C-alpha cells in the first residue's frame, strides 16, 4: 500500500523541457556530455517502439508479478501473464481499465532534466568505457528537505554516448509524506540504446522504513523492459 502512495508522490513523468541556458564555456566537458545525453534521451521517439515489461513487486512479503505488452501500431496494452498465469477475461478487462485510468500510453520514460541537477555534477572516476559522475538529486515532488537526503551517481557510456545507469540512494532517513520515515532507499534506472533511441532497460526500487510510526515498510519493485520493436513507417 505504502509503495503506491510514495510512487504517486515521486512519479517521474515525461515533460519536454528546454535545455538550461548556459554556454559550453561555462561548463566542464562532462557537463556538456551529460546535457547532450539528456537532450538525446528527450528526443527519443518513444511512441514508435513496441515492447514488453515484466513487473515484480514485493510488499512486506506479498509478491505479485505481471508480464505486459505495449503495441506501438495500435497504441494498446495487453496483459500476457499475471502471477505466472494466463489472465482471465475479467483480469484482462481490469488491467485495461487500470491502464486507461492511469493514462500511461507510451509513458515508459522519466524526466532526467529534473532528476539530475547538472550544476552539481562532479567527477568520481573513469575507465576506457565509462565516465562515472556524482550529482545532487532534484525531486521537487519530494520537497527540498527530502531531496537533500538523496545522492545520485551515473555511468556514462563513452562509446555510445549515452547515460547507461543512474542510481539514487539516501544518506540519512527522510520523510516524503507525513508520518512516513524512510531509512533505506535505492533507485536504479538502466537504459539501452537502439539506433538513435535511448530506452529503459530496467527500473528497480527498494525501500525500508515505517509508516504512521508503527507500520513496517519493506518493499521492492522491478520493471524489466524487453523485446523492443520499432514501428515500421
Amino acid at each position: 500500500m505504502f509503495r503506491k502512495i510514495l510512487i504517486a508522490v515521486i512519479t517521474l513523468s515525461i515533460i519536454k523541457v528546454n535545455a538550461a541556458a548556459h554556454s559550453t564555456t561555462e561548463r566542464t566537458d562532462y557537463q556538456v556530455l551529460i546535457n547532450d545525453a539528456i537532450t538525446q534521451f528527450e528526443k527519443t521517439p518513444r511512441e514508435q517502439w513496441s515492447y514488453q515489461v515484466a513487473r515484480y513487486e514485493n510488499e512486506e512479503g506479498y509478491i505479485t508479478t505481471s508480464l505486459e505488452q505495449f503495441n506501438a501500431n495500435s497504441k494498446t496494452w495487453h496483459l500476457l501473464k499475471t502471477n505466472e498465469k494466463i489472465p482471465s477475461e475479467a483480469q484482462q478487462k481490469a488491467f485495461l481499465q487500470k491502464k486507461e485510468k492511469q493514462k500511461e500510453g507510451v509513458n515508459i520514460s522519466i524526466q532526467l532534466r529534473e532528476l539530475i541537477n547538472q550544476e552539481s555534477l562532479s567527477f568520481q572516476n573513469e575507465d576506457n568505457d565509462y565516465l562515472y559522475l556524482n550529482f545532487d538529486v532534484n525531486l521537487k515532488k519530494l520537497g527540498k528537505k527530502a531531496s537533500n537526503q538523496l545522492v545520485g551517481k551515473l555511468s556514462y557510456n563513452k562509446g555510445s554516448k549515452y547515460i547507461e545507469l543512474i542510481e539514487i540512494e539516501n544518506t540519512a532517513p527522510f520523510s516524503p509524506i507525513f508520518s512516513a520515515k524512510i531509512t533505506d532507499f535505492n533507485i536504479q534506472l538502466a537504459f539501452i540504446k537502439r539506433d538513435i533511441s535511448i530506452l529503459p532497460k530496467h527500473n528497480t526500487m527498494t525501500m525500508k522504513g515505517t509508516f504512521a510510526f508503527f507500520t513496517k515498510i519493506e518493499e521492492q519493485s522491478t520493471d524489466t523492459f524487453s523485446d523492443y520493436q520499432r514501428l515500421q513507417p
Side-chain angles (χ1 to χ4, degrees), residues 2-227:
F2 179 79
R3 176 182 178 274
K4 293 179 175 63
I5 297 174
L6 180 59
I7 290 299
V9 175
I10 67 172
T11 295
L12 308 175
S13 58
I14 297 175
I15 303 176
K16 298 294 184 181
V17 182
N18 292 329
H22 293 280
S23 68
T24 57
T25 58
E26 296 173 326
R27 294 165 175 251
T28 60
D29 290 342
Y30 53 78
Q31 285 178 314
V32 175
L33 293 176
I34 298 307
N35 186 69
D36 290 346
I38 292 175
T39 300
Q40 183 182 22
F41 177 80
E42 291 171 339
K43 290 181 178 179
T44 290
R46 288 168 287 265
E47 72 283 354
Q48 297 181 11
W49 290 92
S50 298
Y51 61 93
Q52 290 187 7
V53 53
R55 304 189 192 275
Y56 168 92
E57 295 182 12
N58 184 339
E59 300 185 23
E60 287 79 44
Y62 180 71
I63 298 174
T64 58
T65 64
S66 67
L67 180 62
E68 307 168 11
Q69 184 177 59
F70 177 75
N71 188 307
N73 292 282
S74 59
K75 301 297 186 289
T76 57
W77 284 91
H78 184 67
L79 181 61
L80 302 178
K81 287 186 179 181
T82 179
N83 295 327
E84 306 300 327
K85 296 180 180 179
I86 302 299
S88 65
E89 184 175 341
Q91 289 173 321
Q92 188 72 249
K93 183 178 180 181
F95 168 79
L96 294 176
Q97 289 175 341
K98 179 182 177 181
K99 287 297 184 184
E100 179 64 25
K101 185 177 180 180
Q102 292 176 339
K103 299 184 183 297
E104 284 194 4
V106 295
N107 186 4
I108 59 173
S109 190
I110 62 173
Q111 187 182 335
L112 294 187
R113 199 172 294 281
E114 175 185 333
L115 181 66
I116 300 172
N117 183 339
Q118 294 184 62
E119 298 303 321
S120 70
L121 284 166
S122 61
F123 177 83
Q124 180 188 38
N125 197 3
E126 71 175 312
D127 54 35
N128 291 335
D129 300 315
Y130 293 95
L131 173 65
Y132 304 98
L133 302 174
N134 299 323
F135 63 91
D136 293 339
V137 177
N138 181 21
L139 284 178
K140 294 180 181 178
K141 294 181 181 180
L142 278 181
K144 184 177 181 179
K145 186 175 181 180
S147 292
N148 286 341
Q149 307 305 324
L150 301 174
V151 295
K153 52 187 177 182
L154 63 82
S155 302
Y156 175 82
N157 188 309
K158 295 180 179 179
S160 298
K161 298 182 179 179
Y162 77 105
I163 300 171
E164 189 169 316
L165 179 66
I166 295 173
E167 184 173 8
I168 297 169
E169 57 187 1
N170 66 309
T171 58
F174 66 97
S175 299
I177 60 177
F178 178 71
S179 75
K181 181 179 181 181
I182 304 303
T183 56
D184 298 274
F185 185 75
N186 182 276
I187 289 179
Q188 291 188 11
L189 308 173
F191 304 92
I192 57 174
K193 189 170 186 178
R194 293 287 184 268
D195 300 326
I196 61 172
S197 296
I198 311 301
L199 301 163
K201 182 178 181 181
H202 68 257
N203 304 332
T204 66
M205 183 182 73
T206 58
M207 63 181 172
K208 296 180 181 179
T210 56
F211 182 55
F213 304 105
F214 301 107
T215 303
K216 182 180 179 181
I217 300 167
E218 189 168 353
E219 305 184 5
Q220 178 182 1
S221 66
T222 302
D223 294 342
T224 304
F225 300 84
S226 63
D227 296 338

